[in-house]
Coordinates of all heavy atoms in Angstrom, one line a residue:
S43 N -5.2 8.2 4.3 CA -6.3 8.1 5.2 C -6.5 9.5 5.9 O -5.7 10.4 5.9 CB -5.9 7.0 6.3 OG -4.8 7.3 7.0
G44 N -7.6 9.6 6.6 CA -7.9 10.9 7.2 C -8.9 11.6 6.3 O -9.7 11.1 5.6
R45 N -8.7 12.9 6.3 CA -9.5 13.8 5.6 C -9.1 14.0 4.2 O -8.7 15.0 3.7 CB -9.5 15.3 6.3 CG -10.1 15.2 7.8 CD -9.9 16.5 8.5 NE -10.5 17.7 7.8 CZ -11.7 18.0 8.1 NH1 -12.5 17.3 8.8 NH2 -12.2 19.1 7.4
T46 N -9.3 12.9 3.3 CA -8.9 12.9 2.0 C -9.7 13.6 1.0 O -9.4 13.9 -0.2 CB -8.7 11.4 1.5 OG1 -9.9 10.8 1.6 CG2 -7.6 10.7 2.4
F47 N -11.0 14.0 1.5 CA -11.9 14.5 0.6 C -11.5 15.9 0.0 O -12.0 16.3 -1.0 CB -13.3 14.7 1.2 CG -13.4 15.6 2.3 CD1 -13.5 17.0 2.2 CD2 -13.3 15.1 3.7 CE1 -13.5 17.8 3.2 CE2 -13.2 15.9 4.7 CZ -13.4 17.3 4.6
G48 N -10.7 16.6 0.7 CA -10.3 17.9 0.2 C -9.0 17.8 -0.7 O -8.5 18.9 -1.1
T49 N -8.4 16.6 -1.0 CA -7.2 16.5 -1.7 C -7.4 16.8 -3.2 O -8.4 16.4 -3.8 CB -6.7 15.1 -1.6 OG1 -6.4 14.8 -0.2 CG2 -5.4 14.9 -2.4
Y50 N -6.6 17.7 -3.7 CA -6.7 18.1 -5.1 C -5.6 17.5 -6.0 O -5.8 17.1 -7.1 CB -6.6 19.7 -5.2 CG -6.2 20.2 -6.5 CD1 -7.0 20.2 -7.6 CD2 -4.9 20.8 -6.7 CE1 -6.6 20.7 -8.8 CE2 -4.4 21.2 -8.0 CZ -5.4 21.2 -8.9 OH -5.1 21.7 -10.2
V51 N -4.4 17.3 -5.2 CA -3.3 16.8 -6.0 C -2.5 15.8 -5.1 O -2.4 16.0 -4.0 CB -2.4 17.8 -6.5 CG1 -1.9 18.8 -5.4 CG2 -1.2 17.4 -7.3
M52 N -2.0 14.7 -5.9 CA -1.1 13.9 -5.1 C 0.1 13.6 -6.0 O 0.0 13.5 -7.2 CB -1.7 12.6 -4.7 CG -2.9 12.7 -3.9 SD -3.6 11.1 -3.2 CE -2.4 10.6 -2.0
G53 N 1.3 13.6 -5.3 CA 2.5 13.5 -6.0 C 3.6 12.7 -5.5 O 3.4 12.2 -4.3
W54 N 4.6 12.4 -6.2 CA 5.7 11.6 -5.8 C 6.9 12.6 -6.0 O 7.1 13.2 -7.1 CB 5.9 10.3 -6.6 CG 4.8 9.3 -6.3 CD1 3.7 9.1 -6.9 CD2 5.0 8.3 -5.3 NE1 3.1 8.0 -6.4 CE2 3.8 7.5 -5.4 CE3 5.9 7.9 -4.2 CZ2 3.5 6.4 -4.5 CZ3 5.6 7.0 -3.4 CH2 4.5 6.2 -3.5
F55 N 7.7 12.5 -5.0 CA 9.0 13.2 -5.0 C 10.1 12.2 -4.6 O 9.9 11.1 -3.9 CB 9.0 14.4 -4.0 CG 8.2 15.5 -4.5 CD1 6.8 15.5 -4.4 CD2 8.8 16.7 -5.0 CE1 6.0 16.6 -4.9 CE2 7.9 17.8 -5.4 CZ 6.6 17.7 -5.3
R56 N 11.4 12.6 -4.8 CA 12.4 11.7 -4.4 C 13.6 12.5 -4.1 O 13.8 13.6 -4.4 CB 12.8 10.7 -5.6 CG 13.5 11.3 -6.8 CD 13.7 10.3 -7.9 NE 14.4 10.9 -9.0 CZ 14.5 10.2 -10.2 NH1 14.1 9.0 -10.3 NH2 15.0 10.8 -11.2
Q57 N 14.5 11.9 -3.2 CA 15.6 12.6 -2.7 C 16.8 11.5 -2.7 O 16.6 10.6 -1.9 CB 15.5 13.2 -1.3 CG 16.7 14.0 -0.9 CD 16.3 14.9 0.3 OE1 15.4 14.6 1.1 NE2 17.1 16.0 0.5
A58 N 17.8 11.8 -3.5 CA 19.0 11.0 -3.5 C 20.0 11.5 -2.5 O 19.9 12.7 -2.1 CB 19.6 11.0 -4.8
P59 N 20.9 10.7 -1.9 CA 21.9 11.1 -1.0 C 22.6 12.3 -1.5 O 23.2 12.3 -2.6 CB 22.8 10.0 -0.8 CG 22.0 8.8 -1.1 CD 21.0 9.2 -2.2
G60 N 22.8 13.3 -0.7 CA 23.5 14.6 -1.0 C 22.8 15.4 -2.0 O 23.4 16.4 -2.5
K61 N 21.6 15.2 -2.4 CA 20.9 16.0 -3.3 C 19.6 16.6 -2.9 O 19.1 16.1 -1.8 CB 20.5 15.2 -4.6 CG 21.8 14.8 -5.4 CD 21.4 14.1 -6.8 CE 22.6 13.7 -7.5 NZ 22.2 13.2 -8.8
E62 N 19.2 17.5 -3.4 CA 17.9 18.2 -3.1 C 16.6 17.3 -3.4 O 16.8 16.4 -4.4 CB 17.6 19.5 -3.9 CG 18.6 20.6 -3.6 CD 18.4 21.2 -2.2 OE1 17.2 21.4 -1.8 OE2 19.4 21.6 -1.5
R63 N 15.6 17.4 -2.7 CA 14.4 16.6 -3.1 C 13.8 17.2 -4.5 O 13.8 18.4 -4.6 CB 13.3 16.7 -2.0 CG 12.1 15.7 -2.2 CD 11.4 15.5 -0.9 NE 11.0 16.6 -0.2 CZ 10.4 16.6 0.9 NH1 10.2 15.5 1.6 NH2 10.0 17.7 1.6
E64 N 13.4 16.3 -5.2 CA 13.0 16.7 -6.6 C 11.7 16.0 -7.0 O 11.2 15.0 -6.5 CB 13.9 16.3 -7.7 CG 14.2 14.8 -7.8 CD 15.2 14.5 -9.0 OE1 15.7 15.4 -9.6 OE2 15.4 13.3 -9.3
F65 N 10.9 16.7 -7.8 CA 9.5 16.2 -8.2 C 9.8 15.1 -9.2 O 10.7 15.0 -10.0 CB 8.9 17.4 -9.1 CG 7.7 17.0 -9.7 CD1 6.5 16.7 -9.2 CD2 7.8 16.9 -11.2 CE1 5.4 16.4 -9.9 CE2 6.7 16.5 -11.9 CZ 5.5 16.2 -11.2
V66 N 8.8 14.1 -9.1 CA 8.9 12.9 -10.0 C 7.7 12.9 -10.8 O 7.7 12.8 -12.1 CB 9.1 11.6 -9.1 CG1 8.9 10.4 -10.1 CG2 10.3 11.6 -8.4
A67 N 6.5 12.9 -10.2 CA 5.3 12.8 -10.9 C 4.1 13.2 -10.0 O 4.2 13.3 -8.8 CB 4.9 11.4 -11.3
A68 N 3.0 13.7 -10.6 CA 1.9 14.2 -9.9 C 0.5 13.8 -10.6 O 0.6 13.7 -11.9 CB 1.9 15.7 -9.6

Side-chain angles (χ1 to χ4, degrees):
S43 60
R45 297 170 61 87
T46 61
F47 62 85
T49 298
Y50 159 71
V51 57
M52 296 189 76
W54 289 94
F55 288 75
R56 66 186 183 187
Q57 187 168 22
K61 294 189 177 181
E62 299 281 326
R63 187 159 57 187
E64 64 176 3
F65 168 75
V66 175

